[in-house]
Amino acid sequence: MTAYDLVVRSRGVHLPDGVRPAAVCVRDGKVAAIVAHSSAVDAPVNVDLGDVALLPGLVDTHVHVNEPGRTEWEGFATATRAAAAGGVTTLIDMPLNSLPPTVDAAALATKRAAAQGKCYVDVGFWGGAIPGNTHHLAELHEAGVFGFKCFTSPSGVDEFPPLSWAELPDVLAELRRLDALLIVHAEDPAELAEAPDSDDYAGFLASRPPRAEDKAIARLAGLAERARARVHVLHLSSASALSEIRSSALTAESCPHYLTLDAKEIPDGATAFKCCPPIRDRDNADELWRALADGTITCVVSDHSPCTESLKEGSFGTAWGGISSLQLGLPVMWTEARRRGHELADVVRWMSSGPAELAGLTGRKGAIAVGADADLVAFDPAAEFIVDPGELLHRNPVTPYAGRTLRGVVVNTWLRGTSVGQEPLGELIRRDTR
């Protein structure tokens, strides 16, 4: 009997205590040992990556898969194959854009049934908090969702309406009782205007000003403090809200598109760049990067929000708002992080260990550590490629990154010690499963 099932060696293994040469030994899907790079180890599969880095699998806690109900937008098979190609080994699916939305235990069971046997990476689920479903939150929590998503402004789909400011205290009280996390799309509807039906990006940007986020986040901070509840701000776009986050108990994430794209460079009519909240200017992005560096923003996730190509057509007023980047997030972030003087280890913290901590998966995901799942990514940080939409694996290959030269290539992805290939070996995970 061999000692291990797999050994992966690299001169740059990203471990919780630093980056160093090492050999990672895998048994039964877990990291069983981490030994010196030159150690002789008994295993049927022995991979030597040389100078290619070995990273923990990324954890993306903000993904809209849309199946069932809108599977023509995206589905579990296509989304998870794209995730694996981008080094993401765990994703948490958002409760809206599928039909039914995940707002009660029956809907969660429907979604799990739709996902069963189709996933190439591990998949968990958020529950939804909408008007009138507070009595369903406990059953969703017991069924293993990782927390609850709500909007404070219209979501874009009628079946997932926003919570009003008057309804939020009752939801927060229930989540405090459950010790569950609330994750919030925070824009104040009173500060939003209808986007003009035009090709002018500046007009769309003006319809969703920073003060919409700032005001909503300030109100959330006060409500969370009074309820003593855990609240996380999704896809932070407005840098002017950072002072409120720093002075409160709120946590926050951002996304590659807010950190790397510049509103002033978006061509008129380029609706592939439309998302809500919107992409802002370079000075705003500079502040978001400073917040990443000082820990105010704890993680970077995709907010992969795809749709059919036809729904991305039209004006900035009518096109679907969402960026698809599951397959590209790691090289997009590494390209810009490197330019700004950050290390690859910083990107790993923001895209792997940080999201794992948010979802309560520390110890199982987000780190190469003994006892953790052997979710591993071979990543060549020096290689470059040009983004070709035809090579993207998500269902509708629309991307604002088309034609860009990016640095960093995912060479291989292992899920629990098995190289991700043609068979969907992903598991449906629960908050309470270890």
Side-chain angles (χ1 to χ4, degrees), residues 14 16 31 56-57 352-353 356 364-369 372-373 375:
H14 284 248
V31 177
S352 187
S353 59
R364 179 176 176 187
K365 306 287 188 181
I368 300 175
D373 287 355
D375 297 345

Side-chain angles (χ1 to χ4, degrees), residues 202-216:
F204 168 67
L205 181 61
S207 74
R208 304 187 90 98
R211 65 177 177 273
E213 287 184 84
D214 302 347
K215 184 176 176 182

Side-chain angles (χ1 to χ4, degrees), residues 210 213 236-242 258-259 278-290:
E213 287 184 84
L236 182 68
S237 161
S238 170
S240 51
L242 288 167
Y258 299 128
L259 293 157
I279 295 161
R280 306 193 190 277
D281 63 27
R282 180 65 63 183
D283 290 342
N284 183 85
D286 290 343
E287 291 296 323
L288 295 179
W289 277 96
R290 281 189 274 274

Side-chain angles (χ1 to χ4, degrees), residues 70-132:
R70 292 190 175 98
T71 310
E72 71 275 14
W73 294 20
E74 187 67 281
F76 285 102
T78 49
T80 56
R81 286 189 68 209
V88 176
T89 53
T90 304
L91 65 83
I92 313 294
D93 174 61
M94 283 291 169
L96 71 155
N97 298 350
S98 56
L99 294 170
T102 315
V103 295
D104 56 37
L108 176 63
T110 298
K111 182 169 279 194
R112 281 181 167 148
Q116 192 67 48
K118 297 178 182 177
C119 298
Y120 289 79
V121 302
D122 287 353
V123 174
F125 302 94
W126 296 107
I130 63 171

Side-chain angles (χ1 to χ4, degrees), residues 348-381:
V348 170
R349 184 173 71 254
W350 300 328
M351 302 188 77
S352 187
S353 59
E357 183 177 0
L358 175 72
L361 287 168
T362 301
R364 179 176 176 187
K365 306 287 188 181
I368 300 175
V370 173
D373 287 355
D375 297 345
L376 308 170
V377 176
F379 183 70
D380 185 346

Side-chain angles (χ1 to χ4, degrees), residues 129-154:
I130 63 171
N133 87 321
T134 305
H135 61 293
H136 288 298
L137 302 183
E139 68 187 44
L140 281 164
H141 183 72
E142 297 216 355
V145 298
F146 283 81
F148 296 89
K149 162 79 173 283
C150 77
F151 282 74
T152 61
S153 58

Side-chain angles (χ1 to χ4, degrees), residues 306-394:
C307 65
T308 61
E309 294 187 61
S310 62
L311 286 175
K312 262 299 188 186
E313 297 171 352
S315 73
F316 279 108
T318 59
W320 177 257
I323 304 286
S324 300
S325 64
L326 258 176
Q327 190 170 337
L328 297 173
L330 176 56
V332 166
M333 281 297 296
W334 170 231
T335 301
E336 183 67 8
R338 179 179 175 275
R339 188 185 73 81
R340 291 173 176 267
H342 292 285
E343 302 292 336
L344 183 56
D346 297 322
V347 178
V348 170
R349 184 173 71 254
W350 300 328
M351 302 188 77
S352 187
S353 59
E357 183 177 0
L358 175 72
L361 287 168
T362 301
R364 179 176 176 187
K365 306 287 188 181
I368 300 175
V370 173
D373 287 355
D375 297 345
L376 308 170
V377 176
F379 183 70
D380 185 346
E384 292 185 340
F385 69 102
I386 297 173
V387 177
D388 176 0
E391 295 181 356
L392 299 178
L393 299 178
H394 60 266

